[in-house]
Amino acid sequence: MTDKMTNRQIAALETKRKLLEAAKKIVCEKGLINTSVEEITKACGVANGTFYTYFKRKEDVVFALSREMYQEIYNKALIHDGSFIERLIFYMVNFSVYIEKSGLKLCQEWLRNTVDPDLVENPDDKNKLSMDISSIKGIITNGIKRGELKKDTPVDKLSHTLTDVLYGEMLCWDMSGGSYRFEERTKEFCNMFLPAIIKPYLF
C-alpha cells in the first residue's frame, strides 16, 4: 500500500511539473491572457480536469513557478563560495537572471496579477514581497552569524532597501519593453553602489 501511495505521489509530482513547464513555455510565447487551460493540458497530454487538480486558475501557474525558483536561488546563495558581498551579489544577480530568462511577457503577467494584493487568492503569493525581503534578510543575518558583518547591522532597513532596488529595476525593465538587459543593470548596481552600502557594516 505504501509503495502504491509513493508511486502515486511521484506520478502526481511529475504531472504537476509537466503542467508547469508547458504553461511557462506557452505563457512566455503568448502571454497569460492569450493562453487557455486547454492549451496547457493539451501540451501535456492530459485532460482539462487534471489542471484543476493542482491549480484553481491559470494565474496560479505563474505564481507557482516564481515561488519555486526564488527559493532555489536563495538556498544556493547561502552556500555560495566567497565573501558576504559575493553571496549577496549572487542572489541579486540570479534573481534578475531568472526574471529575464522567464521572459518579458511572463514578468508582465506576474506584475499584473500581484500588484494588487487584494486580488491574489493564494496566501503564499499574497506574501511574495515579504518572502523576497525575508530572503535578503536571511542572507544578511547569515553574514552576521558568520562574523562577516557587525552585530548592529541594520538588517531590516538593508533588506527592504535592496528589495526595493530589485523590484524597481524589474518594473523599469518591464516598462521599457525589455529594451536592455535586466541582468546587466543589476550587475551595474552591485558593482557601483553595493560595496559602498555594505562597507560600513563589514568587519
Side-chain angles (χ1 to χ4, degrees):
M1 182 69 174
T2 303
D3 289 340
K4 287 184 179 179
M5 287 297 294
T6 301
N7 290 337
R8 199 173 297 138
Q9 289 170 347
I10 291 171
L13 287 173
E14 181 60 26
T15 299
K16 186 175 182 180
R17 168 55 45 199
K18 286 179 180 178
L19 287 166
L20 285 169
E21 290 301 323
K24 181 178 178 180
K25 184 176 185 297
I26 297 169
V27 170
C28 284
E29 289 174 356
K30 303 175 61 176
L32 189 63
I33 292 174
N34 298 316
T35 299
S36 69
V37 170
E38 186 177 2
E39 286 178 284
I40 297 171
T41 54
K42 185 177 180 181
C44 297
V46 298
N48 279 4
T50 302
F51 179 91
Y52 296 104
T53 300
Y54 304 97
F55 308 104
K56 287 185 178 180
R57 54 186 189 143
K58 62 182 181 179
E59 287 82 2
D60 291 341
V61 174
V62 177
F63 301 143
L65 286 167
S66 65
R67 280 199 308 274
E68 184 179 295
M69 192 61 200
Y70 293 130
Q71 183 62 45
E72 184 178 328
I73 291 169
Y74 170 68
N75 291 339
K76 286 182 177 179
L78 287 179
I79 61 173
H80 182 69
D81 288 336
S83 65
F84 164 75
I85 219 164
E86 288 171 334
R87 292 196 301 279
L88 186 54
I89 289 173
F90 176 90
Y91 174 81
M92 293 182 70
V93 170
N94 280 281
F95 181 102
S96 306
V97 167
Y98 170 69
I99 292 169
E100 191 167 2
K101 282 187 176 179
S102 295
L104 185 66
K105 285 185 178 180
L106 190 60
C107 182
Q108 290 170 338
E109 294 295 344
W110 183 83
L111 283 171
R112 184 178 291 113
N113 287 283
T114 56
V115 71
D116 184 352
D118 291 335
L119 299 178
V120 181
E121 295 181 2
N122 189 320
D124 291 334
D125 302 315
K126 193 183 290 286
N127 296 321
K128 180 66 170 68
L129 175 60
S130 298
M131 289 165 61
D132 290 333
I133 292 171
S134 294
S135 291
I136 293 183
K137 185 176 181 178
I139 293 169
I140 296 172
T141 302
N142 181 256
I144 294 173
K145 288 180 179 177
R146 291 188 184 204
E148 299 166 303
L149 295 172
K150 298 174 183 177
K151 290 185 178 180
D152 62 351
T153 299
V155 179
D156 286 337
K157 287 184 179 179
L158 281 176
S159 56
H160 277 81
T161 298
L162 294 178
T163 304
D164 287 347
V165 169
L166 284 172
Y167 272 56
E169 287 183 343
M170 176 173 62
L171 179 60
C172 290
W173 177 70
D174 229 358
M175 293 174 70
S176 77
S179 63
Y180 55 86
R181 294 290 307 282
F182 183 13
E183 176 187 357
E184 293 305 317
R185 185 60 54 86
T186 302
K187 284 181 178 178
E188 285 175 6
F189 169 81
C190 289
N191 292 330
M192 293 180 68
F193 303 109
L194 192 59
I197 293 171
I198 299 300
K199 186 177 180 181
Y201 313 110
L202 290 171
F203 275 117

